Amino acid sequence: MGKKMSSPSLTESQFIRICRLINDSLHPFTVSENLSFSKQEEKNLLLILSQVSNETRRLIPSADTSSPLNPNSQNHHCLSKSISHLIPLLNLESLYIQHLAGNVLVTFSEFLASSVKTWEFFIHSLSICLELSISNISSCSFEPSITGAGGSGSDLLNLVGLFKPKLKNTSLFTVAGIIRTLRNILKFLKEECDDELVLVLLNSISFFISNVPWDSMDEIFGGNGGEDDERNALFLGNFIQLLSSFVDQISFAEGLDNSLDKNVILSKIINLVPKLLYWSLRKEGKCVNTCISRYFSHKLLVLMIRLSLQIPLDFLVLVSWLQLLHSYFEDLLYQPLTDVMNQDDYLEDSPFMLSNFDGEVHSMHSRHLQRQAIFLFLRCSFSLINLGKATRKHYSSATVKSSIDVDAISEQSCGREKGLLEIYAWLSGHVVVDKLVAHEMYREKSINFSFSLLKLYTHEDDILFKFLLELLSLQACEEQKFHKERLAPQDEMEDVLFHVSYIFNPIRLFHLFLAELHYDHQVLLDYLISKDTGISCAEYLLRCFRIVCDSWQTFMEFSVYGKLSNQLSSKRRKILSESSNFKIEPSSGPVKTIPLSLEKKFNGNLEYRHMKQMYELAKGCLLSLKKSVENLHLKNLFPYNPEVLLKRLERFQELCFKH
């Protein structure tokens, strides 16, 4: 995960000083179980919380190690008293007090971080408070988990006795505040690269996820809104963010508690996804507040994408998620792949942007949400396709179980067939594939669609190569060979295979990808040396070079109808010569065709110049990339060993010279 954070040791005197400051200054405000303050008392409390936070932060850098902190029961008791004064403040309706109390807890965590055992006791204390709070507001009471928690059993049992009276009148504000605190602590530890503390926190969150009876929360979030909408939204927003950060971090975690299984924990979160969608977006994706709905949509799609990248999803979950995508995000899936216009009032690609089509403003989805929904849809569909003839009996005990009715799924819809039919139905909403039309028209519209789809992702580097690699997972080249000698599909499933493999042909997509970059090898080089995209870009190029070299004639003969846009991407360098002014129009409608192998016959000599120019532009770009990578490698300036990539580029160069 990273290196261990180095910081001076926490001393006994520092610890006692901060605990006394918290206990003495906050006791007058929290002595009563029913907290209620006047305006002046709120102002005084805010001032005290600010002073406590500043003093705690001031002592963090101290290097005095004359008397290091001893994590004994006495100090644990002092710490738990401080926590018992801070947690009830999260339940107040004043957002300022909630915010400052949470900040004090995060700063307190940073203050304790150099004493691992004390910090561990602090984290498990927060987890116990969290579980007690949920138990108090849910329809099913339960005891907080102390398995695997730091500290002695008696210390932790004493904690439960101390916190219960303080949390008797708790609400979702308290739960949301603790969850927000845990997420901010996790964010801080990620920045500091402290593996040991991250592992403690991941263990604690894992026990929390496993112990809470989530079905008991349906009564709270399953209603039709009302006075509790603000509290519900606050809890759900923070909870989904915590789960997303947790899933992102747990992939790097090694050494979880022996009683925990990483896949089992992730599976529990996967099984929570339908509930989270319903709680957040309500039935059929309808949420009272449109802005909150877009925010939840964004966060939930991020969570689902991260889960899909962390653990293999079985057939039942993939089918269930496709159903959820259709229920909650179908409008995103079928939204036209055109540029968003008139968005000057919003940051580019903000989840809160509005889309404008035909002059009518719809307060719905941005391209950012659209690319997330489509990526997840394609990933689920392609995963089903790649399952092939595998059945549930091949999955391990850690595989996720879904509530979907197995008997309702016909044999024809299983695995590969189900995935292909999902993709085919989706493509039919963007490109008409229900009847045989002129090859030129189908080819033009299918390329327009492929290019528009690719263009949707080139503005988001963090997901671009995940998307491109996902398309490669379809192994479209092999599917194309299946139809090599056929003018038209022979039955329904062959029809589906034909269109899916034709539109997602990897050589075509690679050509279009280079065109979108204006054939600028420097952009490819930037991707390769970036710490965020370097590995995934290299993997994509390696796989593309292998496909290109195995299907060289197809690569040489690729061309497009019309002209490539002069506005391929506002983010990319524009260095094309005036001669390379081809354009592809955005996808406008819907079609169906005949195989690539007959393209030359139908197009005739008129397309030859276009074909040759696209090949020459691609060749020039990739050979320039080879030269740049070689130069950096010779100077030991390339961030990783590019020899495998250079070998593939060498093979590409040989074929260029040979032909």
Side-chain angles (χ1 to χ4, degrees):
M1 289 170 62
K3 63 182 180 179
K4 178 174 172 55
M5 176 178 61
S6 58
S7 61
S9 299
L10 177 64
T11 67
E12 193 89 20
S13 61
Q14 292 169 338
F15 174 78
I16 293 173
R17 179 175 177 178
I18 293 301
C19 284
R20 283 180 177 172
L21 175 63
I22 294 173
N23 296 338
D24 293 345
S25 58
L26 295 182
H27 180 265
F29 294 92
T30 61
V31 64
S32 172
E33 292 182 2
N34 299 309
L35 303 186
S36 179
F37 305 122
S38 65
K39 290 292 183 182
Q40 186 57 48
E41 287 174 327
E42 281 192 9
K43 290 181 181 179
N44 293 339
L45 179 55
L46 288 170
L47 181 61
I48 289 172
L49 287 171
S50 180
Q51 291 172 343
V52 169
S53 180
N54 291 336
E55 180 64 11
T56 305
R57 185 165 297 283
R58 187 184 69 81
L59 291 176
I60 291 174
S62 175
D64 178 15
T65 58
S66 56
S67 178
L69 178 63
N70 179 22
N72 53 37
S73 295
Q74 183 177 353
N75 287 336
H76 284 169
H77 178 69
C78 184
L79 175 58
S80 61
K81 281 186 64 178
S82 298
I83 296 171
S84 72
H85 289 305
L86 287 164
I87 293 295
L89 300 180
L90 298 174
N91 196 42
L92 297 175
E93 293 196 4
S94 169
L95 296 179
Y96 299 107
I97 293 177
Q98 290 179 31
H99 179 73
L100 267 181
N103 282 355
V104 171
L105 286 167
V106 174
T107 306
F108 206 3
S109 166
E110 187 178 349
F111 173 74
L112 298 169
S114 61
S115 177
V116 176
K117 291 298 182 183
T118 305
W119 187 87
E120 185 176 359
F121 184 83
F122 171 77
I123 292 298
H124 290 305
S125 298
L126 291 182
S127 296
I128 288 173
C129 288
L130 178 57
E131 293 187 38
L132 283 172
S133 299
I134 293 177
S135 178
N136 286 341
I137 63 175
S138 70
S139 60
C140 176
S141 62
F142 61 95
E143 290 300 316
S145 171
I146 59 174
T147 306
S152 67
S154 59
D155 284 349
L156 294 168
L157 289 174
N158 289 336
L159 274 181
V160 175
L162 174 66
F163 292 145
K164 264 189 174 180
K166 292 282 188 177
L167 298 170
K168 187 169 64 174
N169 298 315
T170 193
S171 71
L172 279 175
F173 278 148
T174 309
V175 179
I178 300 173
I179 288 175
R180 183 175 62 249
T181 299
L182 292 174
R183 179 180 176 272
N184 288 336
I185 292 172
L186 184 59
K187 183 179 178 181
F188 164 75
L189 294 177
K190 180 181 178 181
E191 293 171 354
E192 295 296 329
C193 302
D194 192 318
D195 294 1
E196 186 176 7
L197 298 188
V198 167
L199 193 59
V200 170
L201 184 51
L202 293 179
N203 272 320
S204 187
I205 296 173
S206 298
F207 282 114
F208 156 65
I209 294 170
S210 301
N211 193 46
V212 173
W214 295 106
D215 288 343
S216 66
M217 304 291 281
D218 287 336
E219 188 175 320
I220 299 174
F221 301 110
N224 296 316
E227 296 180 356
D228 293 330
D229 269 350
E230 181 183 352
R231 297 185 182 190
N232 292 358
L234 197 61
F235 165 77
L236 289 168
N238 284 290
F239 184 47
I240 295 167
Q241 281 190 318
L242 177 66
L243 291 178
S244 187
S245 298
F246 173 81
V247 170
D248 188 43
Q249 285 292 298
I250 201 171
S251 60
F252 305 104
E254 297 295 338
L256 287 174
D257 190 278
N258 292 333
S259 61
L260 295 172
D261 183 291
K262 186 186 302 185
N263 285 347
V264 170
I265 299 300
L266 291 174
S267 298
K268 286 184 176 292
I269 299 175
I270 287 172
N271 288 330
L272 268 177
V273 165
K275 287 184 179 295
L276 293 172
L277 282 164
Y278 181 74
W279 293 346
S280 304
L281 302 177
R282 305 289 167 81
K283 199 170 185 178
E284 297 177 352
K286 294 178 182 177
C287 183
V288 176
N289 188 306
T290 304
C291 289
I292 292 178
S293 175
R294 289 197 295 270
Y295 174 80
F296 282 149
S297 296
H298 166 65
K299 290 300 180 182
L300 286 164
L301 286 169
V302 169
L303 174 61
M304 294 171 76
I305 289 171
R306 288 183 177 179
L307 285 166
S308 74
L309 294 170
Q310 293 297 343
I311 181 173
L313 304 180
D314 77 356
F315 172 81
L316 296 179
V317 174
L318 291 169
V319 173
S320 174
W321 278 24
L322 285 170
Q323 291 175 347
L324 292 172
L325 284 168
H326 287 304
S327 296
Y328 292 96
F329 305 110
E330 183 145 14
D331 44 0
L332 287 172
L333 296 178
Y334 289 97
Q335 182 175 310
L337 298 177
T338 53
D339 289 333
V340 178
M341 306 296 291
N342 300 329
Q343 299 294 348
D344 296 337
D345 294 335
Y346 296 87
L347 291 175
E348 182 181 359
D349 293 332
S350 163
F352 304 101
M353 290 171 65
L354 304 179
S355 295
N356 186 322
F357 298 103
D358 301 324
E360 182 180 356
V361 177
H362 302 276
S363 57
M364 300 196 50
H365 343 281
S366 69
R367 285 165 63 85
H368 186 74
L369 288 177
Q370 186 184 21
R371 70 172 62 95
Q372 288 177 318
I374 290 176
F375 175 80
L376 184 60
F377 171 80
L378 292 176
R379 181 162 179 80
C380 289
S381 299
F382 289 173
S383 295
L384 277 173
I385 293 170
N386 291 328
L387 282 177
K389 297 180 180 180
T391 60
R392 293 186 306 278
K393 65 183 181 182
H394 294 127
Y395 294 100
S396 66
S397 59
T399 303
V400 183
K401 298 296 185 288
S402 173
S403 59
I404 190 171
D405 184 5
V406 182
D407 296 332
I409 303 172
S410 65
E411 290 294 327
Q412 291 75 19
S413 297
C414 291
R416 183 179 184 80
E417 291 81 2
K418 173 66 177 174
L420 283 169
L421 290 172
E422 283 283 350
I423 293 291
Y424 182 76
W426 178 69
L427 289 175
S428 299
H430 293 278
V431 182
V432 173
V433 293
D434 60 342
K435 59 184 178 179
L436 191 66
V437 298
H439 174 70
E440 292 87 348
M441 182 185 298
Y442 176 83
R443 184 169 178 270
E444 179 181 359
K445 287 188 175 292
S446 66
I447 290 177
N448 287 342
F449 171 76
S450 298
F451 185 75
S452 296
L453 181 62
L454 177 66
K455 189 175 175 64
L456 182 67
Y457 289 88
T458 52
H459 294 276
E460 286 288 332
D461 293 350
D462 61 337
I463 199 173
L464 170 62
F465 291 102
K466 291 185 179 71
F467 166 73
L468 292 172
L469 287 168
E470 199 62 49
L471 296 185
L472 283 183
S473 71
L474 190 60
Q475 299 176 330
C477 269
E478 294 182 14
E479 298 295 348
Q480 187 62 38
K481 292 176 185 176
F482 178 74
H483 297 279
K484 186 174 182 181
E485 304 301 328
R486 299 186 182 180
L487 182 66
Q490 302 301 307
D491 58 40
E492 183 180 1
M493 189 48 62
E494 289 184 11
D495 188 48
V496 172
L497 282 168
F498 174 80
H499 293 293
V500 171
S501 61
Y502 188 88
I503 289 176
F504 292 114
N505 181 282
I507 292 179
R508 168 188 292 143
L509 291 170
F510 186 48
H511 259 295
L512 295 176
F513 172 64
L514 296 177
E516 165 68 358
L517 303 186
H518 285 262
Y519 300 98
D520 185 354
H521 76 282
Q522 289 290 347
V523 176
L524 281 176
L525 188 63
D526 289 345
Y527 281 138
L528 283 170
I529 64 178
S530 166
K531 66 177 183 178
D532 298 318
T533 62
I535 300 302
S536 55
C537 177
E539 182 182 355
Y540 175 69
L541 291 179
L542 285 170
R543 293 175 64 179
C544 282
F545 284 134
R546 184 180 64 207
I547 295 170
V548 165
C549 293
D550 289 343
S551 307
W552 186 254
Q553 198 66 27
T554 304
F555 177 74
M556 288 182 64
E557 294 177 357
F558 175 78
S559 64
V560 298
Y561 284 85
K563 299 181 179 181
L564 284 174
S565 172
N566 290 323
Q567 300 174 348
L568 287 172
S569 172
S570 61
K571 294 174 63 178
R572 311 302 178 192
R573 298 179 178 85
K574 299 182 179 180
I575 61 168
L576 276 180
S577 63
E578 293 182 0
S579 61
S580 56
N581 58 351
F582 297 97
K583 177 182 178 183
I584 295 177
E585 299 297 334
S587 170
S588 59
V591 211
K592 164 176 177 180
T593 167
I594 52 182
L596 253 172
S597 59
L598 299 179
E599 284 178 359
K600 196 170 183 180
K601 175 180 176 182
F602 280 90
N603 297 336
N605 295 328
L606 201 60
E607 195 184 348
Y608 177 74
R609 290 192 303 274
H610 293 176
M611 180 190 302
K612 182 174 176 59
Q613 188 169 31
M614 292 202 73
Y615 165 70
E616 291 295 336
L617 287 167
K619 181 181 76 172
C621 170
L622 297 173
L623 293 182
S624 296
L625 176 67
K626 176 178 179 291
K627 184 176 180 180
S628 296
V629 173
E630 285 175 335
N631 289 338
L632 287 175
H633 186 45
L634 286 172
K635 298 174 183 178
N636 293 320
L637 295 176
F638 208 78
Y640 50 90
N641 190 339
E643 290 182 1
V644 176
L645 178 61
L646 287 172
K647 286 181 181 178
R648 295 281 171 88
L649 283 164
E650 184 70 32
R651 172 62 177 154
F652 175 83
Q653 181 176 269
E654 290 173 1
L655 289 171
C656 289
F657 293 160
K658 180 179 178 181
H659 291 84

